[in-house]
């Protein structure tokens, strides 16, 4: 079994599920780590090494974990990348994908509390791809080789801030503190069966709000890596939030926004789940 990678107190840790864990820097005698960022800078060698490691620590408690990539240099958000969601949002789906950023300081771990900074706080469960190698102008056929792994992400959005102004401010409206829960683990792409067709869903207080498959992405992971790298040099640890399926709160009748009593659970087949709660800001 290839273990997945987790961030425990800022240190890279191998996750073997119920079988336990292993601190990367300690188990490798300092060759890899100690941070997840350092591991991603040497991803191919790390992956080969990790296959031979045995767990020597306790199973990880997900609630204690930080985001697997806490400080990426670049975070790409993709808008309107599932046909049904683009249609519910009133956009046509031809042409290039909509690209924005979530500023990296908004990232949070798999169990996080989001401040209620807006009366129109909304959910967007998304598959997040993590780049594993510096690359430019990658072809679609080589693109998956540049992806270290996958994780679950939530693109929490303040719809009022996102949509205000003459030219909507997507990046600002999606970058408040803790608006980017990710994890619980970085699962190496080699370990993900059917990586282009994963069940993706989210629930609010147990009610299913989004329920789709990543095979319905208009621009799939390989196409996004090719498109983004035709412009930007991609760096190890960069994140691509690949877009959300239909069922967001502001397109429901009546609209449904997140508040103090809500528990948002976001899940992707084979990658695990995120639990997000909401709290009023101290005044
Ligand atoms: Zn999104």
């Amino acid at each position: 079994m290839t273990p997945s990678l987790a961030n425990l107190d800022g240190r890279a840790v191998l996750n073997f599920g119920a079988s336990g864990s292993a601190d990367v820097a300690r188990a490798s005698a300092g060759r890899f780590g100690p941070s997840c960022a350092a591991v991603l800078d040497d991803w191919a060698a790390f992956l080969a090494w990790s296959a031979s490691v045995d767990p020597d620590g306790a199973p990880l408690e997900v609630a204690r974990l930080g985001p697997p990539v806490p400080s990426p240099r670049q975070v790409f958000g993709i808008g309107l990348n599932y046909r049904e969601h683009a249609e519910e949002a009133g956009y046509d789906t031809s042409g290039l994908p909509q690209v924005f950023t979530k500023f990296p300081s908004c990232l949070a771990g798999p169990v996080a509390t989001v401040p209620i900074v807006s009366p129109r706080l909304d959910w967007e469960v998304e598959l997040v791809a993590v780049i594993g190698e510096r690359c430019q102008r990658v072809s679609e056929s080589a693109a998956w080789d540049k992806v270290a792994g996958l994780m679950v992400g939530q693109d929490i959005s303040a719809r009022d801030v996102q949509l205000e102004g003459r030219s909507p401010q997507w990046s600002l409206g999606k970058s408040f503190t803790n608006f980017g829960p990710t994890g619980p683990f970085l699962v190496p792409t080699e370990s993900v069966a059917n990586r282009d067709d994963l069940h993706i869903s989210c629930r609010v207080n147990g009610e299913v709000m989004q329920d789709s498959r990543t095979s319905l992405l208009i621009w799939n992971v390989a196409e996004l890596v090719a498109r983004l790298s035709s412009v930007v040099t991609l760096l190890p640890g960069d994140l691509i939030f690949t877009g959300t399926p239909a069922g967001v709160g502001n397109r429901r009748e009546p609209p449904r926004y997140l508040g103090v009593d809500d528990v948002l659970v976001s899940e992707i087949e084979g990658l695990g789940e995120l639990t997000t709660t909401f709290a009023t800001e101290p005044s």
Side-chain angles (χ1 to χ4, degrees), residues 17-31:
S19 302
S21 62
D23 181 271
V24 168
R26 212 175 48 235
S28 69
R31 183 173 167 211

Side-chain angles (χ1 to χ4, degrees), residues 78 100 124 126 155 174:
I78 307 298
F100 57 94
E124 295 193 353
E126 309 203 1
D155 179 15
K174 292 163 171 279

Side-chain angles (χ1 to χ4, degrees), residues 77-80 85 100 102 123-126 154-157 159 162 170 174 241-244:
I78 307 298
L80 311 169
H85 172 60
F100 57 94
K102 288 176 81 70
W123 58 83
E124 295 193 353
V125 63
E126 309 203 1
Q154 251 299 340
D155 179 15
I156 301 283
S157 305
R159 299 298 184 198
Q162 176 189 348
W170 288 34
K174 292 163 171 279
F241 281 72
T242 58
T244 201

Side-chain angles (χ1 to χ4, degrees), residues 5-215:
L5 187 66
N7 169 12
L8 181 64
D9 300 327
R11 294 180 68 88
V13 176
L14 289 169
N15 166 52
F16 296 85
S19 302
S21 62
D23 181 271
V24 168
R26 212 175 48 235
S28 69
R31 183 173 167 211
F32 301 106
S35 68
C36 290
V39 166
L40 281 155
D41 276 336
D42 200 5
W43 182 254
F46 164 79
L47 205 58
W49 165 81
S50 70
S52 64
V53 179
D54 291 318
D56 63 1
L60 295 171
E61 286 174 57
V62 169
R64 288 189 55 202
L65 300 178
V69 189
S71 305
R73 285 166 284 198
Q74 306 184 98
V75 179
F76 302 93
I78 307 298
L80 311 169
N81 200 18
Y82 287 82
R83 201 166 306 279
E84 270 183 81
H85 172 60
E87 285 167 4
E88 75 178 353
Y91 292 87
D92 84 62
T93 55
S94 58
L96 296 170
Q98 176 73 34
V99 180
F100 57 94
T101 192
K102 288 176 81 70
F103 295 103
S105 60
C106 79
L107 294 172
V111 178
T113 300
V114 171
I116 301 173
V117 292
S118 157
R120 298 180 62 197
L121 209 56
D122 205 348
W123 58 83
E124 295 193 353
V125 63
E126 309 203 1
L127 176 69
V128 176
V130 182
I131 297 298
E133 188 184 319
R134 182 186 181 95
C135 57
Q136 251 188 320
R137 292 187 286 275
V138 179
S139 68
E140 250 179 75
S141 59
W144 269 112
D145 297 340
K146 311 300 183 192
V147 177
L150 300 172
M151 53 188 188
V152 187
Q154 251 299 340
D155 179 15
I156 301 283
S157 305
R159 299 298 184 198
D160 47 347
V161 179
Q162 176 189 348
L163 299 173
E164 77 186 354
R166 276 178 301 183
S167 182
Q169 302 277 3
W170 288 34
S171 301
L172 277 184
K174 292 163 171 279
S175 292
F176 287 92
T177 302
N178 286 2
F179 268 33
T182 52
F185 314 108
L186 169 54
V187 181
T189 48
E190 286 82 348
S191 312
V192 182
N194 305 318
R195 62 194 182 186
D196 278 307
D197 183 23
L198 304 172
H199 182 229
I200 179 169
S201 63
C202 84
R203 309 186 290 280
V204 177
N205 307 332
E207 182 186 349
V208 176
M209 296 296 188
Q210 297 183 284
D211 185 0
S212 188
R213 304 197 68 85
T214 61
S215 50

Side-chain angles (χ1 to χ4, degrees), residues 244-256:
T244 201
V248 295
N250 73 327
R251 299 299 169 187
R252 306 182 85 85
E253 279 295 336
R256 169 75 160 88

